[in-house]
């Protein structure tokens, strides 16, 4: 969706390195979702952020939503090969429940 | 619960044929989404339903595409006639209430030759 931009489109990191993926919305978000996808499989939910300034963590993955609720970042600490996959941010813009996604970021982690 | 169930997992069909994709959402979930994923366009929302009612079908590409949800436990996405450019992975997802976690099925990989 053009309303939601992710960067970078792809990322190759050495195992053990930290990395950040960004998601920017053209409009104020009602809710921001992060999902992970392995090639050929469905999407796995990581976390959802709704409040401006909110931060959540799941194992070595941390996501933040900025105060204006238009940008989110996903940070992975000490990356491992198991972190490889496609990371997608999703956005809800109102209480109606419509959920759209960015283009995704393909992450490769080299051992 | 078995999660969101899609069938078939793979479908290969000839151009011009009708294709029907099926989805069984998680029991008790009120919202259902159909998405299409391609390398070029990413994950596109085609249509979503709340309480079996279509709310937004603005993502449906053409009149060749139609979706129904006759009851809370079943939805179909139909393409007629199919074209090679419809080749993609189609995902169904369900959500218990609005703006909560969406659970995705494993997808249907459609190839139109």
């Amino acid at each position: 969706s053009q309303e939601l931009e992710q960067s970078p489109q792809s990322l190759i990191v050495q195992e053990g390195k930290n990395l950040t993926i960004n998601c920017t919305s053209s409009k104020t978000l009602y809710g921001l979702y992060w999902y992970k996808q392995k090639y050929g499989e469905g999407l796995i939910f990581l976390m959802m952020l709704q409040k401006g300034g909110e931060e959540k963590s799941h194992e070595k993955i941390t996501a933040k939503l900025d105060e204006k609720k238009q940008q989110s970042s996903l940070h992975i600490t000490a990356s491992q090969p198991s972190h490889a996959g496609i990371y997608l941010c999703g956005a809800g813009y109102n209480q109606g429940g419509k959920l759209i996604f960015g283009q995704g970021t393909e992450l490769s982690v080299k051992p | 619960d078995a999660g969101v169930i899609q069938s078939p997992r793979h479908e290969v069909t000839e151009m011009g044929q009708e294709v029907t994709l099926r989805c069984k959402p998680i029991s008790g979930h009120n919202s259902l989404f159909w998405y299409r994923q391609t390398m070029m366009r990413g994950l596109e929302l085609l249509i979503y339903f709340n309480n079996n009612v279509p709310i937004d079908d603005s993502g449906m590409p053409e009149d060749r595409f139609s979706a129904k949800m006759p009851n809370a436990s079943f939805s179909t996405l139909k393409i007629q006639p199919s074209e090679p450019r419809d080749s993609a992975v189609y995902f169904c997802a369900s959500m218990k209430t609005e703006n909560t976690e969406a659970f995705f099925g494993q997808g249907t990989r459609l190839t139109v030759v």
Side-chain angles (χ1 to χ4, degrees):
Chain A
S1 165
Q2 291 181 338
E3 294 173 306
L4 214 54
E5 294 285 337
Q6 273 188 249
S7 63
Q9 288 189 341
S10 64
L11 193 54
I12 302 173
V13 299
Q14 200 70 34
E15 182 177 359
K17 295 294 186 184
N18 302 336
L19 63 105
T20 299
I21 298 169
N22 295 301
C23 179
T24 302
S25 172
S26 59
K27 302 186 295 186
T28 300
L29 300 157
Y30 187 84
L32 187 287
Y33 301 72
W34 283 102
Y35 281 82
K36 179 185 175 185
Q37 184 183 26
K38 292 280 192 182
Y39 179 75
E41 298 180 12
L43 279 69
I44 303 298
F45 176 79
L46 294 176
M47 56 194 88
M48 179 186 175
L49 306 164
Q50 277 193 296
K51 299 177 183 176
E54 186 175 10
E55 179 175 322
K56 287 187 177 178
S57 293
H58 173 71
E59 298 178 345
K60 292 187 178 180
I61 301 175
T62 300
K64 300 179 185 179
L65 182 61
D66 76 334
E67 290 288 344
K68 291 185 178 179
K69 296 177 64 175
Q70 284 191 269
Q71 283 192 320
S72 178
S73 59
L74 183 87
H75 185 77
I76 299 178
T77 304
S79 59
Q80 300 169 358
S82 61
H83 287 127
I86 300 171
Y87 288 81
L88 294 114
C89 68
Y93 288 103
N94 53 47
Q95 287 188 291
K98 183 175 181 176
L99 176 57
I100 62 170
F101 286 87
Q103 283 282 81
T105 296
E106 185 169 6
L107 172 65
S108 301
V109 180
K110 291 193 173 294
Chain B
D1 200 314
V4 177
I5 300 173
Q6 291 187 246
S7 64
R9 288 294 310 276
H10 302 273
E11 176 83 31
V12 180
T13 190
E14 290 185 346
M15 183 173 64
Q17 295 297 306
E18 176 181 303
V19 175
T20 299
L21 311 182
R22 297 172 174 80
C23 176
K24 179 178 173 14
I26 293 174
S27 178
H29 281 199
N30 296 326
S31 297
L32 183 139
F33 304 81
W34 281 102
Y35 294 90
R36 176 173 70 176
Q37 188 175 40
T38 60
M39 289 289 289
M40 289 294 293
R41 300 174 69 89
L43 189 64
E44 302 174 277
L45 175 64
L46 300 177
I47 185 172
Y48 80 98
F49 297 82
N50 276 348
N51 297 314
N52 313 338
V53 177
I55 302 300
D56 188 331
D57 65 354
S58 58
M60 296 286 261
E62 307 172 23
D63 291 345
R64 298 185 296 108
F65 286 69
S66 62
K68 292 182 180 179
M69 192 163 186
N71 56 62
S73 59
F74 184 65
S75 178
T76 59
L77 178 68
K78 186 180 293 187
I79 307 172
Q80 181 184 20
S82 58
E83 296 182 4
R85 60 192 168 119
D86 300 331
S87 298
V89 180
Y90 290 81
F91 286 102
C92 175
S94 72
M95 195 183 268
K96 187 171 186 179
T97 56
E98 294 162 355
N99 296 296
T100 58
E101 178 183 349
F103 293 80
F104 280 77
Q106 289 298 296
T108 294
R109 182 172 295 277
L110 173 65
T111 304
V112 183
V113 298

